[in-house]
Amino acid sequence: KAGVTQTPRYLIKTRGQQVTLSCSPISGHRSVSWYQQTPGQGLQFLFEYFSETQRNKGNFPGRFSGRQFSNSRSEMNVSTLELGDSALYLCASSRDRGGQPQHFGDGTRLSIL
Amino acid sequence: EDKVVQSPLSLVVHEGDTVTLNCSYEVTNFRSLLWYKQEKKAPTFLFMLTSSGIEKKSGRLSSILDKKELFSILNITATQTGDSAVYLCAVVRISNFGNEKLTFGTGTRLTIIP
């Protein structure tokens, strides 16, 4: 059974640009959550999607948005990138809404120059 | 505000030693506590604890939860170099709207010296 797949693995952008990250959950998993991981702050929850609807949201500005498609794949978008957005972005899936444990992908490492 | 505090922040031991990692928390409407191991990439699930005093065990790893004192420990016996990783603790609570909210600690970086 394939795990959670995130693309791209690495991304370099400059300030002011926007970026879209993709996550394909484990087959049969309908909940997808996104996290930002930085050395200073650890893993911080961004949002959770279930059945194409955002169900839960963390404390991030509106520049961070996402969506989920009917096949449960999810995308996360960050607009007007700032230096502080440099981080590892992790996606996790679970079978049900808010289900535990979640299964994580390898992440997308985003660097802002 | 939910708090999950892990200690120590980092730990360096020799192969064969036993280590204990700590996770304390302050959340309302606690549901469960999870432990993950993160090497270079994706965190991998280790344990989920919901009841006090019941030890969960997997090989050389074990974990227990104390819901009265609001903490959990993760023990690793006879450590090996492959145990070198960041160990993450996360707490799940139920929000006022019935959603599950997950809060992670910043992790303990464990280094095993051969």
Side-chain angles (χ1 to χ4, degrees):
Chain A
K1 194 172 179 179
V4 178
T5 304
Q6 290 188 248
T7 57
R9 291 292 310 283
Y10 302 94
L11 208 47
I12 299 175
K13 291 284 187 179
T14 56
R15 279 184 299 175
Q17 288 187 307
Q18 75 163 24
V19 67
T20 299
L21 313 181
S22 179
C23 172
S24 293
I26 291 172
S27 177
H29 284 195
R30 297 190 296 161
S31 172
V32 174
S33 295
W34 288 90
Y35 296 87
Q36 182 194 66
Q37 188 175 33
T38 57
Q41 299 292 322
L43 258 163
Q44 292 190 290
F45 172 73
L46 281 154
F47 25 66
E48 179 199 2
Y49 284 87
F50 181 84
S51 291
E52 302 177 62
T53 303
Q54 189 180 92
R55 303 291 182 166
N56 228 333
K57 192 176 189 305
N59 298 325
F60 278 81
R63 300 185 297 107
F64 291 81
S65 63
R67 58 178 176 166
Q68 186 180 34
F69 302 94
S70 58
N71 62 356
S72 295
R73 190 176 73 83
S74 177
E75 287 181 348
M76 189 189 94
N77 186 76
V78 188
S79 62
T80 320
L81 287 164
E82 300 176 0
L83 291 177
D85 297 333
S86 294
L88 179 67
Y89 289 87
L90 290 163
C91 164
S93 75
S94 60
R95 190 169 298 278
D96 299 311
R97 179 185 165 187
Q100 302 296 338
Q102 297 176 348
H103 298 269
F104 285 83
D106 285 343
T108 293
R109 180 150 315 267
L110 175 64
S111 298
I112 311 301
L113 303 179
Chain B
E1 188 180 325
D2 300 336
K3 273 189 192 175
V4 179
V5 178
Q6 292 187 245
S7 63
L9 290 181
S10 67
L11 190 55
V12 181
V13 299
H14 287 95
E15 206 168 14
D17 287 352
T18 292
V19 298
T20 298
L21 310 183
N22 302 289
C23 175
S24 64
Y25 61 91
E26 289 178 32
V27 303
T28 52
N29 300 323
F30 172 89
R31 179 151 186 165
S32 60
L33 185 146
L34 300 102
W35 284 97
Y36 285 88
K37 176 183 180 183
Q38 185 176 25
E39 296 175 82
K40 291 178 184 172
K41 302 173 190 173
T44 52
F45 170 73
L46 294 174
F47 298 112
M48 182 164 73
L49 304 155
T50 54
S51 302
S52 269
I54 299 175
E55 186 183 52
K56 294 249 178 148
K57 203 167 164 59
S58 176
R60 297 175 294 102
L61 277 68
S62 63
S63 183
I64 197 161
L65 174 67
D66 186 327
K67 288 165 76 173
K68 185 180 172 191
E69 300 297 330
L70 308 183
F71 77 92
S72 173
I73 60 171
L74 175 68
N75 276 323
I76 309 176
T77 59
T79 52
Q80 302 171 357
T81 54
D83 296 327
S84 294
V86 174
Y87 289 84
L88 297 166
C89 168
V91 173
V92 182
R93 70 168 177 90
I94 305 296
S95 74
N96 292 336
F97 303 101
N99 295 327
E100 288 200 353
K101 285 193 170 279
L102 189 67
T103 303
F104 278 86
T106 51
T108 292
R109 181 173 293 279
L110 177 63
T111 303
I112 311 298
I113 301 171

